[in-house]
Amino acid sequence: QVQLVESGGGLVQAGGSLRLSCAASGSFFGIDNMGWYRQAPGKQRQLVAAINRGGNTNLEDSVKGRFTISRDNAKNTISLQVNSLKPEDTAVYYCVADVKLASYTIGSLRYWGQGTQVTVSS
């Protein structure tokens, strides 16, 4: 009923940039918070950036000044602009959304995308 699809990952050299995108589709009333997690080999999944419906954002300290999260409420999409990439940014990046399925439902349900691979070479 709800699907999140990520795109924009790839292989880049250190110092390069990518723009990751996530599109929500299906039948739902609205979306509250959205964000990006990442998981590198051997490490825990980590919240990288989050944005609420009003456009307020939170970024993990290690990516501040390099990553930017944005949102288009009309299109139910978010993007993550990733600049000055470092090898340690290599990970699978996952889109997450808190979805209100209908006007009469209480709260929201969390949905996850399948992930997109970002690989940064030295």
Side-chain angles (χ1 to χ4, degrees):
Q1 192 169 32
V2 181
Q3 186 176 29
L4 302 178
V5 179
E6 303 102 330
S7 62
L11 173 64
V12 297
Q13 297 182 84
S17 299
L18 289 170
R19 188 172 183 86
L20 310 182
S21 297
C22 173
S25 62
S27 180
F28 53 87
F29 182 75
I31 301 175
D32 296 319
N33 300 318
M34 299 186 76
W36 293 91
Y37 282 74
R38 68 183 180 187
Q39 188 166 30
K43 299 185 70 175
Q44 296 183 79
R45 189 171 296 187
Q46 177 187 41
L47 179 65
V48 177
I51 185 167
N52 68 12
R53 204 171 195 282
N56 296 313
T57 63
N58 283 314
L59 294 171
E60 195 273 328
D61 286 343
S62 69
V63 306
K64 287 181 178 176
R66 300 190 298 121
F67 290 13
T68 303
I69 186 171
S70 59
R71 176 170 179 165
D72 186 334
N73 290 329
K75 296 181 179 180
N76 291 314
T77 61
I78 58 169
S79 295
L80 187 70
Q81 180 68 41
V82 294
N83 298 328
S84 302
L85 284 164
K86 305 173 182 180
E88 50 263 46
D89 294 319
T90 296
V92 178
Y93 285 70
Y94 297 91
C95 179
V96 64
D98 295 329
V99 181
K100 187 172 176 64
L101 295 179
S103 62
Y104 51 82
T105 56
I106 304 300
S108 60
L109 296 176
R110 176 155 289 185
Y111 287 84
W112 293 83
Q114 292 180 310
T116 186
Q117 177 72 49
V118 173
T119 302
V120 184
S121 62
S122 300

